[in-house]
Amino acid sequence: MDINVRIAGAAGQGVETTGELLVEAFAGLGLYVFSTQSYMSRVRGGLNWFDIRIGERELFSGREKADLLVALTPEALELLSEGVAEGGLVVFNGEGQEGVVGIAFEEVAKELTGSKIMGNTVAAGAVFSLLGYDVGELESRLRARFERKGAEVVEGNMRCARRGAELAAGHTGTLRAPEGGDAPTGICSGNEAVGLGAATAGVKLVTSYPMTPSTGVFTFLASVADEYGIVVEQAEDEIAAINMVCGATYAGVPAMTTTSGGGFALMVEGLALAGMLELPAFVFLGQRPGPATGLPTRTGQQDLKFAINAGHGEFPRAIFAPGTPQQCYELTRRALETAHRFQTPAILMSDQFLADVRTNCRGLDTSCRPIDRCIVEEPGADYVRYAVTADGVSPRALPGSEAFVAVDSDEHGEDGHITEDLAARVRLQDKRMRKLEGMTVEALAPEWYGPGDAEYVLLAWGSTYGPCREAVDLLGGRGESVAMLHFAQVWPIHAAPVRSLLASGGESPGEGRRVISVEGNATGQFASVLRGLGILEECRLMLRYDGMPFTGEEIARRVKP
Amino acid sequence: MTMSKAFFDADIAWCPGCGNFSILRTFEKAVEAAGIDRRKLVLVSGIGQAAKLPHYTQANVFNGLHGRALPAAVGIKLANHELEVVITSGDGDMYGEGGNHLIHNIRRNVGVKAFVHNNQVYGLTKGQASPTSDMGFVTKVQTHGVMSPPFNPLAIAIVEDCSFVARAFAGDPKHLQEMMLAALEHKGGFALLDILQPCPTFNHVNTFKWYRERVKKVDESHDPFDRQKALEVAFKWGEEIPIGIIYRSERASFESLQPVLGKGTLVERPVAGAS
């Protein structure tokens, strides 16, 4: 069993702070937690909410309805009461009314501490009490969180939490909360996991222009820069960012940039430069709905074909699309390794939903284990940067060594110097593109979840992993035969094994199974990519592009109404 | 002094009589004079005729995108600040396409040296106006003459407190070499050297003769640390064009402010990290 707690209010009211505090405190009780955020593109006002789903088993998706709504503003109460599940509870920051428990969080805080700033803590105490949890766990979180601000702040928060719990006592109603167990107590968001993956893989230069929803990776890396020895620089624009990454990787340092669709559009020429110069440039692309500025704080998966095709001319690139924070951590490392092994750019695609998800993560290793940069230590005197080889990968030396290293955005000979010799052009282009063959063979196989003989197959990529997986479980529980095939690497794709996987039970690709591509865009981009690779013929599309994430419930309903 | 072997092997794409030849020859001498180990020298360029210079000498080469030499050079320098990183760029590359990077890298003050071959015209695309073309300059595009006043790189750099600002003339190689050497030996961060370079093919106004009649070395009484005076000098253009070290500022370089870089280069640093 699981329940969903929704904290809602205006921007600037501490919705996120309260949510993060509760997530940590629930995890401290050994509960599984999965939190998502919905916020508007503004610093003050509006209506934001923070959902925390808690359960006794691992959770992978948000839920549509709330079992407990904490409304910090009248607007939140008015607009979100409808979204409360049957038997659920509503707590309002003010006067109580029928079916609504009234606790004036900010006034209570003001009475106790002289300031309304700790109103959030009163609310957190009330939530703990309504769910029947020991407020002691919340208190220990508060102590850890506010210790460096002094005893007075810690004591004030404690009093606020206890008072919130007292005021809520006796209002529990029929709400039954899951019991704490042995879930991993470590919590990580998608963006933090990407940042930790990069820092531990040995990224030493990060240069970005801030853009939602990618900024969390940039700020995480800034927060650990001194610890891991990373130079973090805010670039004047995204064009500068990607070109700085190209310069740094040429000189031998693992480097990356973080951006979203609009910024990535500016980086496209630089991405082609990395392709031509054969540099392991790494880009984190946090998607949000476009075109243009679109919906800056919402989610979507609309840049897949853009990423696959970004850059003029043709060059190999690897694109990863993790589905969980744990995968964000692991695949960031894998993307950097792939980029260095094949000397070509790699992109990690996430989106606002996954960026902001906070959930239990199993012991992410924080020690620095630098990836192999694949550098030749002693290049000879006759070294050339682009020696033609069987697999297309040329020995990589660095400037400053015994060899002269020349690279050119113009077509070049093996020595890296500009050429207009058309035979050399073909030789070098073939060399570059040969790398794609090795990358394809080594591409991550998609993950199958559910019965092997399933009648329905949900195709998923990136952040729809969790919602699709949960839909498989929900439908399976009702006796339906449904599985998921999730792609955590979306380019290149090794087509043959996937083709036979989907075709099993039928003569031609896709026959015998009902394939549904679940995507956060309006055109079914991933299905189109798979069709282009001859993996699929026809399939049903299940699309969502209103800026909100899929839930498992929604997918289950749309598979079988 | 002889030209490097690479120079003679290369299939040079410049027109006969181009100011770039003088700049290249002088550059070779300045590198020798500065005692730079060529294996530690990285020449970074974008696109244009000046941007081809790295192919005609012996050094590490990063010939990147149009307008983007500066961020690439900064990336290289941050990765390995023991390398000598020099940009050879033109007025279109540095002052037009790459203008935003120039503005912000003067602020950033990373120790890369920008040598801008300024011929006041676009050569590679065959004769259109550049950001430094004078008002009234007629081309196949600007058929009624250029209508925007020219970009003033020196004044912009001084206003932004650039740590080293100088101008030289391709027709005075001895002075040019002095300026290049001073820029190469500058330790306080970013250096901008604007080099007036006649283009005999596409610019028939600003010729060797035209410049020779106008360039005038700043006299010894000029104090490059006096910002107001430097700005006055930078505003001079027309009958008299000042050349020399126009402005200097004692600023901390970006590298010296980065705690991480104080422990060695990023590329060589043993990876520390949390345990």
Side-chain angles (χ1 to χ4, degrees):
Chain A
M1 72 162 299
D2 67 86
I3 66 160
N4 193 24
V5 180
R6 181 166 294 159
I7 320 279
Q13 258 190 320
V15 170
E16 190 179 0
T17 316
T18 313
E20 286 180 2
L21 172 67
L22 285 170
V23 165
E24 284 175 20
F26 291 143
L29 293 169
L31 286 159
Y32 283 99
V33 186
F34 190 93
S35 78
T36 55
Q37 289 189 58
S38 166
Y39 52 99
M40 296 170 77
S41 182
R42 51 198 296 172
V43 179
R44 287 286 181 275
L47 176 61
N48 295 351
W49 66 88
F50 193 110
D51 273 18
I52 310 160
R53 201 173 154 203
I54 46 183
E56 290 160 358
R57 285 191 311 168
E58 202 169 358
L59 300 166
F60 292 96
S61 158
R63 261 196 19 212
E64 291 166 343
K65 299 242 175 192
D67 300 295
L68 171 57
L69 170 67
V70 180
L72 300 178
T73 61
E75 196 191 11
L77 183 66
E78 189 190 329
L79 295 174
L80 298 179
S81 286
E82 269 183 29
V84 175
E86 208 171 309
L89 280 179
V90 180
V91 186
F92 174 57
N93 179 24
E95 290 280 312
Q97 43 189 276
E98 199 189 328
V100 175
V101 179
I103 303 174
F105 303 123
E106 285 157 350
E107 282 175 33
V108 170
K110 201 167 180 188
E111 268 169 41
L112 291 173
T113 66
S115 155
K116 62 181 189 178
I117 203 163
M118 292 177 197
N120 298 315
T121 311
V122 179
V127 167
F128 249 64
S129 162
L130 288 170
L131 298 179
Y133 295 137
D134 177 10
V135 182
E137 176 58 32
L138 182 62
E139 288 177 5
S140 68
R141 290 291 140 184
L142 287 167
R143 195 176 296 116
R145 211 167 228 258
F146 295 108
E147 208 157 28
R148 62 194 168 83
K149 293 196 176 175
E152 202 181 326
V153 176
V154 172
E155 186 50 37
N157 273 289
M158 299 289 200
R159 283 203 314 236
C160 286
R162 282 194 288 265
R163 186 76 187 124
E166 283 162 22
L167 290 170
H171 291 288
T172 309
T174 57
L175 204 61
R176 277 191 52 236
E179 280 177 34
D182 55 359
T185 53
I187 290 289
C188 200
S189 75
N191 271 354
E192 287 166 356
V194 171
L196 188 62
T200 54
V203 163
K204 287 280 167 275
L205 178 73
V206 185
T207 172
S208 303
Y209 189 94
M211 188 168 186
T212 306
S214 66
T215 313
V217 175
F218 193 36
T219 50
F220 176 86
L221 284 163
S223 74
V224 300
D226 292 344
E227 195 180 345
Y228 287 91
I230 302 169
V231 171
V232 175
E233 176 63 358
Q234 183 169 319
E236 56 271 25
D237 55 35
E238 287 85 349
I239 298 173
I242 186 80
N243 280 278
M244 283 164 81
V245 167
C246 286
T249 49
Y250 161 75
V253 165
M256 70 181 285
T257 181
T258 60
T259 192
S260 184
F264 186 64
L266 290 177
M267 292 183 182
V268 161
E269 192 188 16
L271 193 76
L273 179 70
M276 185 58 146
L277 267 43
E278 306 193 41
L279 300 172
F282 176 49
V283 180
F284 170 73
L285 172 54
Q287 298 168 98
R288 66 194 216 188
T293 308
L295 290 166
T297 60
R298 302 298 175 183
T299 201
Q301 295 183 299
Q302 303 171 5
D303 296 333
L304 175 66
K305 283 186 154 186
F306 178 36
I308 290 174
N309 295 296
H312 50 306
E314 296 162 302
F315 56 92
R317 91 259 337 254
I319 306 177
F320 295 88
T324 62
Q326 189 87 31
Q327 288 180 10
C328 284
Y329 174 81
E330 288 158 10
L331 295 185
T332 296
R333 182 180 188 84
R334 174 127 183 162
L336 283 156
E337 281 172 341
T338 305
H340 282 80
R341 174 150 149 52
F342 292 98
Q343 302 175 17
T344 206
I347 301 166
L348 188 92
M349 295 182 79
S350 177
D351 51 42
Q352 179 265 326
F353 165 64
L354 181 58
D356 292 332
V357 157
R358 304 185 80 80
T359 190
N360 317 66
C361 285
R362 274 172 216 289
L364 301 183
D365 188 347
T366 57
S367 65
C368 196
R369 294 153 290 125
I371 55 157
D372 183 357
R373 292 177 295 168
C374 304
I375 292 163
V376 285
E377 292 300 337
E378 290 181 3
D382 55 351
Y383 174 82
V384 288
R385 174 66 187 86
Y386 299 113
V388 172
T389 59
D391 63 0
V393 179
S394 310
R396 178 185 182 214
L398 304 183
S401 66
E402 279 309 294
F404 284 109
V405 181
V407 301
D408 191 356
S409 70
D410 293 278
E411 188 56 272
H412 41 260
E414 291 186 50
D415 62 1
H417 287 289
I418 183 169
T419 185
E420 294 189 55
D421 173 344
L422 303 186
R425 149 62 180 186
V426 172
R427 215 160 44 240
L428 268 287
Q429 179 67 352
D430 286 347
K431 179 196 100 71
R432 287 188 292 268
M433 292 311 293
R434 266 203 301 283
K435 296 188 290 186
L436 188 57
E437 295 165 19
M439 291 165 68
T440 305
V441 171
E442 291 188 15
L444 272 182
E447 177 186 341
W448 184 274
Y449 181 76
D453 62 350
E455 180 190 355
Y456 289 93
V457 180
L458 302 176
L459 283 181
W461 66 278
S463 72
T464 50
Y465 175 91
C468 283
R469 181 175 162 142
E470 198 162 293
V472 167
D473 289 343
L474 282 171
L475 289 164
R478 292 180 211 154
E480 303 289 348
S481 171
V482 184
M484 166 182 78
L485 188 61
H486 177 262
F487 290 74
Q489 182 169 358
V490 290
W491 195 263
I493 291 171
H494 196 193
V498 182
R499 205 180 288 135
S500 54
L501 196 62
L502 282 177
S504 58
E507 292 297 308
S508 62
E511 193 182 313
R513 296 199 195 264
R514 300 189 197 200
V515 179
I516 305 172
S517 192
V518 182
E519 303 190 46
N521 57 55
T523 54
Q525 295 187 19
F526 189 57
S528 158
V529 168
L530 295 189
R531 276 198 299 272
L533 292 168
I535 291 172
L536 274 184
E537 281 183 358
E538 289 308 313
C539 78
R540 218 172 104 190
L541 299 177
M542 185 188 296
L543 308 176
R544 180 161 192 175
Y545 45 90
D546 62 351
M548 298 297 282
F550 282 102
T551 62
E553 296 161 305
E554 177 196 356
I555 294 168
R557 196 167 60 234
R558 289 172 70 178
V559 171
K560 279 257 163 171
Chain B
M1 172 62 216
T2 54
M3 303 298 283
S4 69
K5 186 173 175 296
F7 177 84
F8 292 105
D9 286 350
D11 171 18
I12 293 199
W14 294 331
C15 309
C18 177
N20 279 330
F21 287 103
S22 160
I23 297 173
L24 174 59
R25 275 192 299 269
T26 310
F27 177 73
E28 299 282 22
K29 289 180 191 167
V31 169
E32 296 295 328
I36 293 169
D37 174 359
R38 283 175 181 268
R39 292 185 195 279
K40 302 272 183 212
L41 174 64
V42 185
L43 295 184
V44 184
S45 67
I47 300 300
Q49 293 298 5
K52 288 180 180 163
L53 184 143
H55 294 290
Y56 305 151
T57 181
Q58 196 171 46
N60 297 287
V61 176
F62 186 107
N63 185 352
L65 297 172
H66 189 38
R68 316 303 167 199
L70 243 174
V74 164
I76 295 166
K77 189 73 177 177
L78 294 183
N80 185 352
H81 57 267
E82 286 175 1
L83 296 172
E84 184 70 53
V85 181
V86 179
I87 298 167
T88 65
S89 177
D91 38 328
D93 205 29
M94 185 63 80
Y95 302 149
E97 192 92 19
N100 197 33
H101 307 308
L102 178 66
I103 289 171
H104 293 285
N105 279 299
I106 293 172
R107 292 175 51 229
R108 195 173 270 131
N109 203 32
V110 174
V112 302
K113 315 298 164 65
F115 294 176
V116 186
H117 308 200
N118 179 0
N119 59 8
Q120 301 183 257
V121 73
Y122 280 7
L124 190 58
T125 54
K126 298 187 191 290
Q128 301 82 11
S130 94
T132 53
S133 297
D134 287 319
M135 291 278 275
F137 184 69
V138 176
T139 80
K140 284 182 184 172
V141 172
Q142 289 77 18
T143 53
H144 297 290
V146 168
M147 296 175 189
S148 307
F151 179 79
N152 187 330
L154 305 190
I156 294 277
I158 295 164
V159 166
E160 286 205 285
D161 201 23
C162 183
S163 67
F164 180 99
V165 184
R167 183 191 273 144
F169 168 45
D172 185 347
K174 186 165 167 286
H175 179 258
L176 173 60
Q177 189 183 331
E178 280 172 35
M179 293 300 105
M180 285 179 166
L181 192 58
L184 291 172
E185 288 176 345
H186 173 63
K187 299 290 179 221
F190 180 69
L192 175 66
L193 174 59
D194 184 64
I195 306 170
L196 302 171
Q197 173 223 345
C199 172
T201 305
F202 295 110
N203 187 338
H204 302 296
V205 178
N206 310 105
T207 60
F208 272 103
K209 181 168 178 290
W210 188 91
Y211 284 117
R212 206 160 269 137
E213 287 167 359
R214 289 167 173 77
V215 294
K216 189 174 170 224
K217 291 178 190 120
V218 290
D219 62 57
E220 293 192 357
S221 69
H222 176 68
D223 174 10
F225 291 96
D226 184 331
R227 203 165 176 188
Q228 286 302 329
K229 289 277 165 51
L231 208 49
E232 281 172 32
V233 174
F235 282 137
K236 285 187 188 164
W237 182 265
E239 290 311 302
E240 185 190 314
I241 300 174
I243 56 174
I245 297 176
I246 313 293
Y247 184 65
R248 276 178 181 275
S249 177
E250 297 278 359
R251 288 179 57 194
S253 70
F254 182 91
E255 301 92 297
S256 72
L257 295 173
Q258 276 286 337
V260 168
L261 296 182
K263 298 170 189 161
T265 64
L266 291 184
V267 72
E268 291 292 342
R269 250 167 66 92
V271 181
S275 55

